[in-house]
Amino acid sequence: MTQESAANQETAASAGAVIVTGASRGIGEAIARTLAAAGWPLVLVARSADRLEALAAELGGPERCLACPGDIGNWDDAQRIAAAAQAKFGTIGGLVNNAGVTRDGLIVRMTPEQWQAPLDVNLNGTFYFTRAVGPIMMRQRQGRIVNIASVIGLTGNAGQANYAASKAGIIALTKSVAKELGSRGVTCNAVAPGYIVTDMTSDLPEKVQRDMLDRIPLKRFGEPQDVAGVVRFLLSAEASYITGQTLVVDGGMIA
Ligand code: NAI
């Protein structure tokens, strides 16, 4: 074990479990794997039980990693999962609000249902889990909340008004939570990824992908691991004086 990973394991062991939403694949799965390797006990959340339970078994089984299937856009599920996490691990050291969906379409053709879907999951889900876990962290006088936003929440994007609004909302929510909970030892930050190769981006037309690559100074798309490493940093002792920030992880795309 390197000195750094030994230090991380020490931090993790003393700070309780981390809840990661949307952990069954893509960026959330990479976050779960990275945090497990750093020694954090985990509570994994996603809609589908099968993939989640297989990953939880791989990352340490019932003692270290609990699978909690549920819908983050449902307040009862958020309360049930926060209570299960506390009952199992005692302390909740971190919350990573990662699960998210897109429902793309031009604003002039967008139905109210299409508009609502990303808000229900991305923004409401982040609120529900923060609302359920925040009081526990306040009582502990310790906790780290990391919200996965998007560069689209900073720049807007044609065809993604609903998604952009949900992610901009998450950035504003992040700053507000940081201001409310800071005096209780709880930090809250956002990570805004650019283009990351996952199921969410795999079906974008080739031309859109080529145009996007042209605009990325580092000349490659991001990997889930690029985001996971930043999340691990924000949960680590080294990040204890950072709160209310949005860290852009986009290869320089919106610089
Ligand atoms: P993905 O589509 O590969 O995975 C999404 C995960 O969220 C899955 O585990 C899914 O089960 C879960 N999920 C979706 N709706 C849920 C619900 N209602 N309840 C519980 N779980 C739910 O997506 P990806 O690419 O891994 O994205 C993860 C996060 O990163 C999302 O918030 C996304 O908006 C954000 N992001 C992704 C970018 C990309 O280029 N892939 C860029 C910027 C942000």
Side-chain angles (χ1 to χ4, degrees), residues 22 24-25 27 47 70-72 98 149 163 167 193-194 196 198 201:
S24 65
R25 62 179 200 222
I27 294 170
R47 282 167 306 185
D71 177 359
I72 66 152
N98 162 78
Y163 181 75
K167 295 297 188 178
I196 310 295
T198 68
T201 44

Side-chain angles (χ1 to χ4, degrees), residues 118-162:
L119 289 160
D120 283 346
V121 176
N122 307 353
L123 185 55
N124 289 359
T126 301
F127 162 68
Y128 292 148
F129 272 77
T130 304
R131 173 67 184 81
V133 171
I136 298 170
M137 289 180 166
M138 282 170 76
R139 280 195 296 276
Q140 295 169 177
R141 297 204 156 260
Q142 149 185 312
R144 298 288 173 82
I145 301 172
V146 180
N147 297 326
I148 307 301
S150 166
V151 290
I152 302 303
L154 295 165
T155 62
N157 197 24
Q160 290 197 305
N162 50 0

Side-chain angles (χ1 to χ4, degrees), residues 88-249:
K88 170 76 193 168
F89 294 109
T91 315
I92 303 179
L95 165 65
V96 183
N97 285 306
N98 162 78
V101 296
T102 52
R103 196 64 63 81
D104 296 354
L106 295 171
I107 192 80
V108 291
R109 294 204 202 117
M110 192 173 281
T111 64
E113 292 72 25
Q114 202 177 352
W115 164 259
Q116 197 60 44
L119 289 160
D120 283 346
V121 176
N122 307 353
L123 185 55
N124 289 359
T126 301
F127 162 68
Y128 292 148
F129 272 77
T130 304
R131 173 67 184 81
V133 171
I136 298 170
M137 289 180 166
M138 282 170 76
R139 280 195 296 276
Q140 295 169 177
R141 297 204 156 260
Q142 149 185 312
R144 298 288 173 82
I145 301 172
V146 180
N147 297 326
I148 307 301
S150 166
V151 290
I152 302 303
L154 295 165
T155 62
N157 197 24
Q160 290 197 305
N162 50 0
Y163 181 75
S166 75
K167 295 297 188 178
I170 286 174
I171 290 169
L173 173 65
T174 300
K175 293 178 191 176
S176 307
V177 171
K179 288 177 181 182
E180 285 192 31
L181 302 192
S183 64
R184 308 298 181 93
V186 179
T187 68
C188 183
N189 292 287
V191 177
Y195 185 111
I196 310 295
V197 181
T198 68
D199 289 354
M200 186 178 267
T201 44
S202 61
D203 55 359
L204 283 176
E206 217 174 284
K207 183 174 177 332
V208 174
Q209 296 198 22
R210 263 201 318 273
D211 289 351
M212 219 172 268
L213 194 54
D214 275 348
R215 290 169 25 221
I216 299 175
L218 289 181
K219 293 298 161 212
R220 69 170 177 88
F221 293 131
E223 298 292 333
Q225 192 53 46
D226 293 315
V227 179
V230 174
V231 172
R232 182 186 54 191
F233 165 67
L234 288 171
L235 290 165
S236 74
E238 285 79 5
S240 59
Y241 200 54
I242 301 175
T243 197
Q245 301 304 308
T246 299
L247 262 169
V248 176
V249 182

